[in-house]
Amino acid sequence: MNSSEFKSAWLSSGFNPQIDSWLEFDKFQIEQSTVNKHTKLFLQAGFPDSAAPFLNFDGLSKGKFLTLTQMFPRFFKNERSKSFWMLGTDGGGNLIAIDDSNDDKIVLLDHEQNFELIDIINENIEQLAQCLLLYRNFVNDVLEKNGEGAYLDGNYTKEQLLKLIQGFNTVDSDILKRSGFWKSQIATL
């Protein structure tokens, strides 16, 4: 899935312009970044401002594409923090970042532990996008078939959950072994 396909799929599947928005990153900052060409091209199309499960991609950056060092220069002056390009946050306030020192893997950094690495969420930005779309489709399916509030109430079928797991395994056959983030999201359902 390329970035245009992702954007089209996202905007056509349950997108409500009254409460949802599409984030456009600063294209100059993307071009000047040290992420690889594939990541740059993918980010040029933008990203949803928020996504299930309780992720936010616009809260800190407001469309800017910066490293941890650039966003918080008083606190982060070491070389390692220059490798983390801020993408968003999870529901607990931990940072989701692109690690350019590790093939642009999507990582989760602990905001309470000096932004230490918690986990690798996905192998690249494309996999993250695919997983977000699968999770969104899962939530939409649960709400449509099981009623308003069904997702938050944990009211879904085994078939709906299995479809989500199978989708994740299509993106990466080892994702639920390798990514503690996605594994924990499935476990909490």
Side-chain angles (χ1 to χ4, degrees):
M1 170 179 286
N2 66 38
S3 58
S4 297
E5 293 167 334
F6 172 61
K7 182 176 182 179
S8 177
W10 191 269
L11 295 178
S12 67
S13 68
F15 184 81
N16 181 344
Q18 294 177 344
I19 58 173
D20 297 324
S21 61
W22 188 259
L23 172 65
E24 299 284 338
F25 291 108
D26 183 296
K27 291 183 182 357
F28 178 77
Q29 289 173 334
I30 290 172
E31 275 308 310
Q32 297 303 309
S33 74
T34 53
V35 298
N36 68 41
K37 185 175 181 165
H38 176 78
T39 302
K40 287 179 183 181
L41 287 173
F42 204 94
L43 291 173
Q44 292 286 341
F47 222 67
D49 71 335
S50 61
F54 307 106
L55 306 178
N56 184 313
F57 297 102
D58 193 28
L60 291 173
S61 68
K62 304 295 184 209
K64 295 178 181 161
F65 190 63
L66 304 170
T67 65
L68 194 56
T69 303
Q70 291 168 323
M71 184 63 89
F72 305 110
R74 290 181 40 207
F75 302 105
F76 300 100
K77 298 178 190 216
N78 63 46
E79 288 301 311
R80 183 72 177 121
S81 62
K82 293 177 184 175
S83 299
F84 296 122
W85 291 88
M86 296 186 11
L87 191 57
T89 57
D90 71 359
N94 298 308
L95 288 183
I96 299 169
I98 300 168
D99 183 357
D100 74 7
S101 71
N102 193 9
D103 296 323
D104 286 0
K105 288 184 176 20
I106 309 303
V107 298
L108 188 63
L109 305 173
D110 190 330
H111 78 286
E112 293 180 353
Q113 297 296 320
N114 226 11
F115 298 97
E116 291 294 320
L117 179 67
I118 296 173
D119 191 22
I120 295 173
I121 298 173
N122 287 102
E123 295 295 305
N124 56 53
I125 192 73
E126 183 179 349
Q127 279 189 4
L128 174 64
Q130 290 173 316
C131 288
L132 293 176
L133 195 55
L134 286 165
Y135 205 94
R136 181 181 199 194
N137 291 342
F138 165 76
V139 171
N140 288 343
D141 184 56
V142 168
L143 294 175
E144 180 182 311
K145 293 179 180 166
N146 304 16
E148 189 176 322
Y151 168 68
L152 292 176
D153 293 338
N155 180 14
Y156 53 85
T157 65
K158 287 182 182 180
E159 290 79 19
Q160 289 168 319
L161 181 59
L162 184 58
K163 183 177 177 183
L164 174 62
I165 292 169
Q166 289 170 338
F168 280 173
N169 286 328
T170 300
V171 171
D172 177 352
S173 61
D174 289 329
I175 195 167
L176 297 178
K177 294 176 189 164
R178 191 173 23 241
S179 174
F181 176 82
W182 290 116
K183 184 178 180 178
S184 71
Q185 297 307 315
I186 295 294
T188 59
L189 290 173

